[in-house]
Amino acid sequence: MSDLSATYKRLLETQKRIATLGSVEGTLEWDERTYMPKEGAPHRAEQRALLAGLRHEWSTALEIGEMLTELEQSEYGGHKLSPEAVNIREWRHDYDRLVKLPKELVEELTRTATHAQDAWIKARASRQFSLFRPWLEKTITLKRREANYLGYDDEPYDALLDAFEPGAKTREIAVVLSQLRDHLVPILKAIAGSSLKPDVSILQREFPPAAQEAFGRQVAAAIGYNFNCGRLDTTTHPFCSGLGPSDTRITTRYDEHFLNPALFGVIHEAGHGIYDQNLPREHWGTPAGDPVSLGIHESQSRLWENMVGRSRAFWEHWYPQAQKAFPALKGVKLDDFYFAVNEVKPSFIRVEADEVTYNLHILLRFELERAILNGDLTAADVPEAWNEKFHAYFGLKVPDDATGCLQDIHWSSGYIGYFPTYSLGNLNAAQFFDQARADLGDLEEMFRRGEFQPLRKWLTDKIHSQGRRYHPEHLMEVVTGKPLEATAMVNYLKRKFGKLYQVHFTV
Ligand code: CO
């Protein structure tokens, strides 16, 4: 019999090499989305395809399967929640998934993503869907092939969703989202009927990007984003990228005449960054040191952006400093500012959507993606289908495709099945936040004093430090004692917006 701890050690080294290669790919992707010159795309596509192919080869080596089997049979790792046992369980999940995909498909998906992103940028800038259409067609064909290789019980969407939200089922998400919609529609209607409206013009004055950046950095650092292990850069489509145990990078975009995108965007991405920065470093490159899922990741960004960053208590602390940073806010009352940053109004762009309408944007995308994968919708018909649904949900006529189906980067990156994790993130955030309040007491009072570390520590203790120990739905039960429900989110929205718009909701 071979020495099991030697086998585990060998497997660990193999997996760390794979993770390191993955972080090299991540660094190239970060560069692609920040500083790469326009014409660098074709060569970058080859670089990334090569690395993705190599990583796939390493990750699917027969030897890994053999080592896993040996460790599984001996129940190496002892207690099923020990880091070793968690690693073996999750490596098996990832390995079984990857061995089903041919290397040629993985390379083609990666290459296509770089070209498709390039085409998407041009299509979006010139508002011409036709420039992106052939790449969307190709992406859809490849993703359907991917789903077929992976296999699924109910529908192809399940296979793709699993990559982002392990264990989640399309049918269950459809149920939660439609329940949420049934609550959101009357809330939205009541708000629209209120005679109170914020004056949002105060956010559309002159806000020099340099001042926005300085203020954003200050806020990000105060909530716990560590700049010694992180950066903040500028990009078209903001994101957060965890590149290594002490290297997490966030990006944003500045609009000189609108304060919201960068201000709340930085808090959002810092929320993601704080999660990555507080994963157990000693387990970097293994599941015990990885984030659980995108739905949990997004809960961290949403919690800081909305439950904290859009709360009145937060601004009681920060507003005097914001007024110093931005002369345009001189003479604007705190309550008017607070109301303005919480305006609820149907609008075209998802990333700028308010907390009430946001999930309707997700529902629309989820329904289209599902139809695409089931073969009920073709790439060519996406703009029309988008615009029709948009009108049905928001009562608005989409003026052009840049404001419609071309607004998001996801499809060009091959990320189909990703969108629902945003809504899961919102629901998770509300339920975690309720629990944090129950455990820590008056959070608002802490925010008023500028104290954000008790909450940050709570999140690290309950969520960040866990790595992939629990699956997302299990983590929710462990932390809050309940499965994920829409209740916390719906009650949070009713309380907050009922007060702001002076409408009565039963909570
Ligand atoms: Co996010």
Side-chain angles (χ1 to χ4, degrees):
M1 196 181 144
S2 68
D3 182 355
L4 287 169
S5 65
T7 305
Y8 183 81
K9 211 174 150 223
R10 202 149 43 87
L11 180 57
L12 184 69
E13 273 163 19
T14 309
Q15 295 288 0
K16 283 205 170 180
R17 265 160 58 85
I18 295 167
T20 303
L21 186 62
S23 72
V24 174
E25 282 177 77
T27 311
L28 285 180
E29 189 184 1
W30 172 84
D31 173 74
E32 184 179 317
R33 290 169 70 173
T34 48
Y35 296 111
M36 187 184 76
K38 261 188 211 145
E39 297 191 4
H43 183 64
R44 182 55 45 88
E46 290 310 311
Q47 291 177 313
R48 288 188 53 195
L50 175 72
L51 292 177
L54 194 57
R55 184 159 60 102
H56 187 69
E57 220 174 277
W58 290 4
S59 313
T60 53
L62 223 56
E63 204 205 6
I64 293 181
E66 288 164 4
M67 289 190 276
L68 281 171
T69 306
E70 193 187 330
L71 294 164
E72 283 160 350
Q73 281 168 354
S74 67
E75 292 178 30
Y76 184 83
H79 188 270
K80 70 180 174 52
L81 294 178
S82 75
E84 291 80 7
V86 167
N87 284 341
I88 292 166
R89 184 192 75 208
E90 295 301 311
W91 279 332
R92 167 60 76 189
H93 170 268
D94 298 349
Y95 180 78
D96 283 353
R97 193 183 153 85
L98 285 173
V99 289
K100 291 179 187 161
L101 299 177
K103 184 183 165 202
E104 150 277 316
L105 177 66
V106 173
E107 287 176 348
E108 192 57 14
L109 276 164
T110 310
R111 192 176 292 121
T112 302
T114 305
H115 288 296
Q117 259 182 53
D118 197 40
W120 167 73
I121 290 168
K122 288 174 185 140
R124 187 179 182 226
S126 62
R127 293 163 201 274
Q128 288 184 72
F129 178 76
S130 59
L131 297 178
F132 181 52
R133 201 197 62 217
W135 290 104
L136 182 58
E137 265 159 14
K138 185 158 190 205
T139 303
I140 291 169
T141 308
L142 293 171
K143 295 306 278 187
R144 291 181 68 178
R145 274 183 64 203
E146 184 185 337
N148 285 332
Y149 278 119
L150 291 170
Y152 47 86
D153 292 332
D154 297 331
E155 51 181 299
Y157 201 84
D158 281 332
L160 301 184
L161 178 65
D162 185 71
F164 306 114
E165 205 60 24
K169 289 278 168 275
T170 309
R171 217 187 281 166
E172 288 163 18
I173 288 186
V175 171
V176 178
L177 287 185
S178 72
Q179 282 171 349
L180 191 58
R181 180 192 54 204
D182 295 346
H183 284 287
L184 294 178
V185 171
I187 295 176
L188 197 55
K189 217 176 146 196
I191 289 173
S194 165
S195 60
L196 293 173
K197 305 277 177 233
D199 173 11
V200 292
S201 73
I202 57 181
L203 302 170
Q204 289 154 1
R205 295 174 177 172
E206 193 74 21
F207 297 101
Q212 291 193 47
E213 189 188 330
F215 189 71
R217 281 176 184 275
Q218 207 186 334
V219 172
I223 63 172
Y225 182 72
N226 180 353
F227 279 94
N228 291 325
C229 306
R231 290 182 57 90
L232 169 63
D233 295 272
T234 309
T235 184
T236 325
H237 199 93
F239 64 98
C240 169
S241 193
L243 300 178
S246 300
D247 189 349
T248 294
R249 305 182 186 192
I250 60 173
T251 60
T252 196
R253 60 173 170 218
Y254 300 100
D255 182 338
E256 206 177 332
H257 299 285
F258 191 24
L259 187 60
N260 288 17
L263 177 57
F264 294 103
V266 167
I267 300 175
H268 178 99
E269 299 305 336
H272 282 301
I274 290 167
Y275 184 4
D276 281 345
Q277 290 182 332
N278 289 288
L279 289 163
R281 263 178 220 200
E282 66 279 19
H283 294 303
W284 186 84
T286 74
D290 277 345
V292 196
S293 72
L294 290 188
I296 299 295
H297 226 305
E298 189 70 6
S299 77
Q300 301 306 291
S301 54
R302 287 278 152 185
L303 186 144
W304 287 109
E305 177 193 356
N306 291 329
M307 274 104 211
V308 181
R310 281 189 163 89
S311 70
R312 197 179 185 285
F314 179 87
W315 286 106
E316 283 176 46
H317 173 73
W318 284 106
Y319 195 59
Q321 294 177 68
Q323 282 185 309
K324 263 183 225 147
F326 308 113
L329 293 175
K330 210 178 150 206
V332 174
K333 287 198 199 83
L334 169 65
D335 274 319
D336 294 336
F337 178 82
Y338 169 60
F339 196 9
V341 298
N342 282 295
E343 182 195 33
V344 174
K345 193 183 174 190
S347 63
F348 296 106
I349 305 294
R350 174 185 62 86
V351 294
E352 288 162 16
D354 59 78
E355 293 179 80
V356 179
T357 57
Y358 187 91
N359 294 298
L360 294 174
H361 288 266
I362 299 304
L363 184 66
L364 177 149
R365 287 155 177 79
F366 171 62
E367 289 175 342
L368 293 184
E369 287 185 337
R370 217 176 160 192
I372 285 171
L373 286 179
N374 285 336
D376 298 331
L377 183 68
T378 62
D381 294 331
V382 163
E384 204 190 318
W386 179 291
N387 297 349
E388 254 173 41
K389 258 190 203 298
F390 203 89
H391 191 260
Y393 289 173
F394 297 89
L396 296 174
K397 237 175 104 67
V398 177
D400 57 68
D401 293 332
T403 319
C405 67
L406 285 175
Q407 65 181 273
D408 294 305
I409 196 172
H410 303 64
W411 293 342
S412 73
S413 309
Y415 293 160
I416 297 181
Y418 187 119
F419 282 118
T421 67
Y422 289 123
S423 283
L424 291 176
N426 288 326
L427 299 174
N428 288 331
Q431 197 162 321
F432 284 144
F433 196 66
D434 271 0
Q435 191 60 45
R437 188 184 279 116
D439 290 353
L440 297 173
D442 196 343
L443 289 174
E444 278 71 22
E445 194 45 48
M446 294 178 199
F447 300 163
R448 263 178 222 118
R449 292 195 300 260
E451 289 169 16
F452 304 103
Q453 287 322 292
L455 176 60
R456 203 277 302 154
K457 286 199 184 92
W458 185 90
L459 292 168
T460 294
D461 178 40
K462 302 283 178 182
I463 297 157
H464 312 157
S465 67
Q466 304 296 323
R468 283 166 74 183
R469 178 171 290 152
Y470 305 105
H471 285 171
E473 75 285 358
H474 192 189
L475 178 68
M476 181 52 77
E477 295 217 35
V478 170
V479 176
T480 71
K482 280 179 294 199
L484 177 65
E485 300 164 341
T487 324
M489 180 71 188
V490 171
N491 288 343
Y492 159 80
L493 293 175
K494 284 180 172 175
R495 275 194 207 101
K496 177 171 175 178
F497 294 98
K499 207 167 173 188
L500 271 167
Y501 281 91
Q502 294 181 18
V503 262
H504 182 74
F505 297 116
T506 354
V507 176

